[in-house]
């Protein structure tokens, strides 16, 4: 079975900082990876699909890269409204979420 | 605008049953596969089950296989999850999510706000 390892599990950064989250698959998953944002008490929201495509309406400070086993999600300039937990999600025969990364403001 | 509204969550004893519902609006319901995704308190996301546009294909996570049954009524624009033999580890917020196609693509582009299921004696 494919395993998804997301890191770090939490991070603290200042407003304006560049934030990077990684997601590693245990085997080649092509670009079958999405990224979600979940704010406290809210449902998840799709931000990035197919590893690097920005969902409509999502600010351009969010981006994703990667292919195969290693993927990166970046917030180019952290804003106060970006405080949330971020999840990667692999999709193929079976959807599988990473463990999540809680992003806080320093 | 896509709207998904879950209902049916409750406090229930272990071993009992519960049926969740999800009412959809703002899109052509019978064009899309639908899913249930859950989140235990303070934990991550777990896909539970999915159903294709015409109910021809259904799938389940191993953790619920044989206990949960997904169904849909396209005329009523509604999705359901029948949960039997509930366990304490089924305690979670249950979200209804819309796929991007009638078959399984597992792109959860729209979500409801969730309904809370608590399994406890």
């Amino acid at each position: 079975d494919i395993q998804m390892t997301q890191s770090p599990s939490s991070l603290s950064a200042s407003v304006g900082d560049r934030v990077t989250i990684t997601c590693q698959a245990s085997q080649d998953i092509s670009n079958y990876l999405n990224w979600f944002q979940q704010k406290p008490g809210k449902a998840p929201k799709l931000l990035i699909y197919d590893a690097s495509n920005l969902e409509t309406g999502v600010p351009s400070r969010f981006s994703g890269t990667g292919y195969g086993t290693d993927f990166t999600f970046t917030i180019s300039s952290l804003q106060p409204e970006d405080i949330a937990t971020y999840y990667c999600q692999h999709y193929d025969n079976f959807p599988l979420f990473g463990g999540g990364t809680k992003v806080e403001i320093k | 605008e896509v709207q998904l509204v879950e209902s049916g969550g409750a406090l229930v004893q272990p071993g009992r049953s519960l049926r969740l519902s999800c009412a959809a609006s703002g899109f052509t319901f019978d064009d899309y596969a639908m899913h249930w995704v859950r989140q235990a308190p303070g934990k991550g996301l777990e896909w539970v089950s999915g159903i294709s546009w015409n109910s021809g294909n259904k799938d389940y996570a191993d953790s619920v296989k044989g206990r949960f049954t997904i169904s849909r009524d396209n005329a009523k624009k509604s999705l359901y999850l029948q949960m039997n033999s509930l366990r304490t580890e089924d305690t979670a917020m249950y979200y209804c999510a819309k796929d991007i196609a009638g078959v399984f693509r597992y792109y959860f582009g729209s979500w409801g706000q969730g309904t809370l299921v608590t399994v406890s004696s």
Side-chain angles (χ1 to χ4, degrees):
Chain A
D1 291 353
I2 294 175
Q3 305 295 323
M4 303 299 297
T5 304
Q6 186 175 340
S7 61
S9 57
S10 66
L11 65 89
S12 182
S14 300
V15 172
D17 280 356
R18 184 181 185 86
V19 168
T20 299
I21 298 168
T22 64
C23 191
Q24 186 171 56
S26 58
Q27 59 186 271
D28 190 335
I29 61 168
S30 183
N31 68 333
Y32 298 158
L33 191 93
N34 299 330
W35 290 96
F36 290 85
Q37 174 193 64
Q38 186 178 31
K39 295 184 177 181
K42 301 294 186 181
K45 175 186 176 183
L46 179 64
L47 299 182
I48 303 283
Y49 63 94
D50 293 347
S52 60
N53 295 296
L54 200 64
E55 181 75 345
T56 302
V58 173
S60 59
R61 65 180 180 274
F62 297 101
S63 64
T65 61
Y67 190 91
T69 60
D70 296 302
F71 300 86
T72 300
F73 172 82
T74 300
I75 307 173
S76 60
S77 177
L78 186 68
Q79 300 301 303
E81 60 268 30
D82 300 336
I83 299 313
T85 300
Y86 293 84
Y87 294 92
C88 62
Q89 178 235 332
H90 164 58
Y91 57 92
D92 189 1
N93 293 322
F94 187 87
L96 182 63
F97 292 92
T101 297
K102 187 174 183 179
V103 174
E104 298 175 319
I105 295 287
K106 191 181 294 183
Chain B
E1 179 191 2
V2 172
Q3 283 203 325
L4 300 168
V5 180
E6 302 93 336
S7 60
L11 170 63
V12 62
Q13 292 180 327
R16 304 299 288 259
S17 298
L18 202 60
R19 189 195 198 205
L20 305 184
S21 300
C22 171
S25 62
F27 66 101
T28 304
F29 182 70
D30 51 10
D31 276 351
Y32 296 94
M34 298 293 295
H35 303 269
W36 290 99
V37 178
R38 70 183 179 183
Q39 185 170 36
K43 302 297 184 181
L45 300 165
E46 179 189 19
W47 175 82
V48 174
S49 182
I51 185 168
S52 62
W53 68 279
N54 64 351
S55 304
N57 195 6
K58 303 176 185 180
D59 204 3
Y60 301 90
D62 287 345
S63 57
V64 307
K65 202 170 289 183
R67 299 187 299 122
F68 290 10
T69 302
I70 192 170
S71 62
R72 64 191 293 162
D73 185 331
N74 286 345
K76 294 183 178 179
K77 299 182 181 181
S78 292
L79 174 71
Y80 306 102
L81 186 67
Q82 177 67 42
M83 310 163 68
N84 297 334
S85 304
L86 281 162
R87 305 168 179 168
T88 55
E89 56 264 36
D90 295 320
T91 294
M93 182 70 78
Y94 284 74
Y95 295 101
C96 166
K98 171 184 167 289
D99 211 323
I100 62 165
V103 297
F104 293 156
R105 295 292 304 281
Y106 302 117
Y107 286 63
F108 307 125
S110 299
W111 300 63
Q113 285 307 297
T115 188
L116 182 62
V117 173
T118 303
V119 184
S120 174
S121 54

